[in-house]
Structure formats: C-alpha cells, structure tokens
Amino acid sequence: MTSTTDEPREAQQGRQARLALARAAYRDIPVYSPHGPGENPPPVRIDASDNTNLWGPPPAAARALREAPGDLVSRYPALYAHELKRLLAGHAGVREAELVTGCGSDDVLDSAMRALAEPGDAVAFPVPSFSMIPTFARMNVLRPVGVPLTGDWDADADGLLATGARIIYLCSPNNPTGTLTSEAAIRRVIEEAPGLVILDEAYAEFAGRSHAAESPAWERVLVTRTLSKAWGLAGLRVGYGTGSAWLVREVEKARGPYMVNAMAQRAVEVAMTEDRAWVEARVQEAVANRERLAAALARLGLRVLPSAANFVLAGSGRAREIAATLQGEGILVRLFAGLPLVGDALRIGVGPWEQMQQVIDAIGRVVTTGNGTGEEAAT
Ligand SMILES: *Cc1c(COP(=O)(O)O)cnc(C)c1O
C-alpha cells in the first residue's frame, strides 16, 4: 500500500512546484466568485444580485445583434473602436481623444492601475466600496489601502489623502452602499491628490450627475462609466474612461488593441444613436421604484441606506436568513456578511415594480414570522 502513503508527499511536491511557478504577488489573490465556490449563480426567477438592467436589453441594440452580418465576426474589430469612441465621446461631452474604451469598465480600471503606478505603490479606496478594487490593485502588484467611509457614508477625503497613495479611487454613487460621494470630498481629493484619481461612475445615470465632461480639464482624473448597468448591455462587456488626452492614451497603451469585440462595438454604436430615450425612461422608472422599494423595506424594519443608484443596501440582523429564504423561492439578492460600518446586509437591484413587489412580499414573510429577535418587527 505504498501508493496511499506516497500520495500526500507527491501532492505536496506538486503544490510546491506550482507555488514556485506562480508569480509571488498572485499566490494569495482569490478568484472572484460572488456566489461562493462555483462559477455561476443558481438559476432563479428574479436575479436582483448584480445591479444589471432588469428590464432587459435596449431594443435597437438587441435588434442589431440579431441582424449582424457574418463578416462582423469573421473579421477583427476596429483596432481602438474609433466609431464607438466617437459616439461615446459625444454622449459623455468629451473629445474622442479624451476617451478610452475597454472590455467592461473593469478593464479600464485594471489598465489604469497598470499604466499609472509602479509595483509597490499604494491604491487608496473607501471601505466599503467596489470589491474588485483591492483585487485589481494586487493583480498589478500594488498595495491596496482601505479607508473607512465617514459616518454619513461620504468618502473620507482627509483619510484618503493621508495615505499618500499614488492612486486614489472614489466611487459615486458608491457600490455597495448606493450613497453619493459629496462634491466637497471629490473636489478636495482631486485638488490635493499627489497622483491619479479614479472616479468610478458606473451608476451615474441614476444619480443624474457625472463628472465625465469636466474630467479632461483636471489632467490627472479618470472618470469610468459602463454600458453594463443603466444601458442593459452587461453581457457585451463595454465600458469607458474619460480624462485628459495624455492620460487616456497611457491607459489605452496598458489595455492593448482589440479589447472591445465587433458585436459589442456594433450594438453599442446602435444603442448610442437609437436607444437613448428607452434608457432614459428605464432610468426614471428605476429611480421611482427605488424610492418605493426603500420605503417598503424600511417599513419592514430593515436599515435602508439612502441610495442614488439602481439598488438599495439594507442592513438587517437577519440578512443571511432572508437571503437564504429568498433563494429558496427563486429570488437572488446579494448578501454582504459583516460589511464594515453596516454589518450583515442585502443589496437589492431595482427592476420592474412587479418583481420588486415579489421581493418585498418574500422578505415580509421572513421578518414578520420566524424565530427572529424581534429587532425587525414591522412598525
Ligand atoms: C458593475 C460595476 C463596475 C464594472 O462594470 P463593467 O461591467 O466591468 O463595466 C465598475 N464599478 C462599479 C462600482 C460597479 O458596480
């Protein structure tokens, strides 16, 4: 039975060999898996877990995808997505040379860190905020430094500046809190930061404000936006950044050519010209439903943060129980366990009211019955 006693040693040697091959900075980086081990969320009726557009894709873009000619996929796409950039730049209020596209805004964020910091430099960001930021920092051999939000959910401008970080990341509206970052904090960080400031505006449409148009004048500010949330095109993976022409060029170098595929370029070009009114109407509906959802959750005793995005974060001592029960009923929300400053909480994406009513009813059944502490008794 030598094989059974040898096996652990072989396994150990194999592990050591792999560790020697792996880049040191990568050994402790986890694979992103928001739904736990396993790649995909379980199949559900209502997926309110990722803040995508629950009304579906914009109609003209969806039609363009169905009717796309064959050579769109047999040929390489435009090298740096010239036509797409021209249209996005018009939309964002900048010149084409002041805009960089990417495979999702994730790609733009990652490339910006690669382009504008040296290995070992710090990236400072608010906590809690977008969970990918510390991961992108590590992937680029940078040092993630979290700085807690202030008591009223604002970015701590002084705390972020005190880190002396080469890159400071801000997010407004902030994910996962949904709260706006104050104009005062944004401007103070931009005026005093020693290096790059990234302002992530993935949810700007729902807040009705964006800094994209002013970003080129600030020289060292990159504003990132996405087609994945309000625009309903998350599956195509298109995002962009705006800033001064030299800054955008550095990011584009680090990102490389051909990163936006041809189908995505075509569909977003069509969306930019034909789907604006549809998107605007869905945004207004989302904002109205967000307020109704927040009020209903508050009535059920959850601690709802003031949201300017298309989701709400609701703190609850029974968040785990609620998430599990909802999942059993085919409704997926995002559970945050032990979130700094918030505790256990649920992030719920806003969609058509009929779906929101089902979410509210399901949560209501948990909090008004069961074995809770009474903390969340209906008031
Ligand atoms: C969803 C999200 C993104 C990434 O979106 P992409 O699909 O990669 O464009 C970036 N930042 C925040 C805060 C997000 O919530």
Side-chain angles (χ1 to χ4, degrees):
M1 301 296 278
T2 51
S3 61
T4 49
T5 50
D6 286 351
E7 250 179 46
R9 197 198 304 159
E10 277 169 21
Q12 204 183 354
Q13 284 169 347
R15 196 168 61 83
Q16 274 164 358
R18 285 194 299 278
L19 280 179
L21 276 178
R23 185 174 179 175
Y26 273 64
R27 283 176 199 157
D28 299 325
I29 300 177
V31 173
Y32 178 69
S33 63
H35 305 285
E39 201 177 320
N40 292 309
V44 285
R45 286 182 295 123
I46 300 174
D47 185 349
S49 72
D50 63 6
N51 311 334
T52 50
N53 190 326
L54 295 178
W55 283 270
R63 192 177 347 104
L65 287 168
R66 284 194 302 274
E67 294 170 359
D71 67 355
L72 206 63
V73 290
S74 61
R75 308 281 316 201
Y76 277 105
L79 196 56
Y80 289 103
H82 160 67
E83 179 62 11
L84 172 62
K85 273 190 192 164
R86 191 181 68 77
L87 291 165
L88 288 172
H91 176 67
V94 298
R95 293 183 302 126
E96 188 187 329
E98 295 161 343
L99 187 138
V100 55
T101 53
C103 178
S105 54
D106 278 359
D107 184 28
V108 179
L109 294 165
D110 176 36
S111 302
M113 289 190 198
R114 192 154 52 248
L116 293 142
E118 304 290 344
D121 282 343
V123 179
F125 53 91
V127 175
S129 189
F130 188 35
S131 63
M132 292 304 294
I133 294 305
T135 301
F136 287 142
R138 289 196 199 97
M139 282 165 57
N140 290 292
V141 201
L142 305 175
R143 228 164 4 96
V145 182
V147 177
L149 292 174
T150 65
D152 54 357
W153 314 112
D154 200 1
D156 177 359
D158 290 330
L160 289 162
L161 290 166
T163 65
R166 176 90 170 240
I167 297 179
I168 296 179
Y169 169 90
L170 297 172
C171 187
S172 187
N174 186 49
N175 180 8
T177 56
T179 49
L180 271 181
T181 305
S182 73
E183 218 38 49
I186 291 172
R187 283 176 197 274
R188 184 156 153 65
V189 168
I190 288 173
E191 276 157 26
E192 314 252 325
L196 175 70
V197 177
I198 297 176
L199 179 54
D200 185 335
E201 294 190 336
Y203 303 97
E205 287 86 352
F206 305 101
R209 64 163 94 161
S210 170
H211 298 80
E214 334 168 51
S215 60
W218 278 322
E219 284 293 327
R220 291 177 294 119
V221 177
L222 184 73
V223 171
T224 59
R225 305 280 303 266
T226 181
L227 277 294
S228 300
K229 306 289 164 56
W231 284 81
L233 295 167
L236 296 180
R237 312 297 303 120
V238 181
Y240 58 99
T242 63
S244 56
W246 77 266
L247 176 69
V248 151
R249 215 176 113 76
E250 294 306 303
V251 177
E252 195 150 72
K253 278 191 227 168
R255 186 216 56 189
Y258 299 128
M259 290 301 267
V260 180
N261 74 71
M263 292 288 271
Q265 290 193 31
R266 171 66 58 87
V268 176
E269 286 161 18
V270 170
M272 281 292 136
T273 36
E274 297 180 41
D275 284 321
R276 283 173 198 244
W278 184 90
V279 170
E280 184 48 42
R282 296 296 81 72
V283 165
Q284 283 178 22
E285 221 174 323
V287 168
N289 290 356
R290 173 186 79 207
E291 297 309 309
R292 284 177 78 184
L293 173 65
L297 295 174
R299 278 196 296 276
L300 290 171
L302 281 74
R303 302 184 305 276
V304 184
L305 272 61
S307 172
N310 67 336
F311 58 86
V312 295
L313 187 74
S316 165
R318 297 174 70 181
R320 292 164 201 251
E321 182 191 352
I322 295 171
T325 306
L326 262 55
Q327 195 167 318
E329 298 184 19
I331 299 171
L332 198 62
V333 298
R334 177 80 182 266
L335 171 67
F336 288 88
L339 199 62
L341 310 181
V342 184
D344 290 352
L346 303 168
R347 193 190 64 196
I348 305 172
V350 175
W353 186 252
E354 170 271 319
Q355 294 183 24
M356 297 299 100
Q357 190 63 58
Q358 293 186 52
V359 174
I360 294 162
D361 291 347
I363 294 175
R365 285 192 292 276
V366 180
V367 301
T368 56
T369 59
N371 55 3
T373 57
E375 172 204 354
E376 261 120 24
T379 50

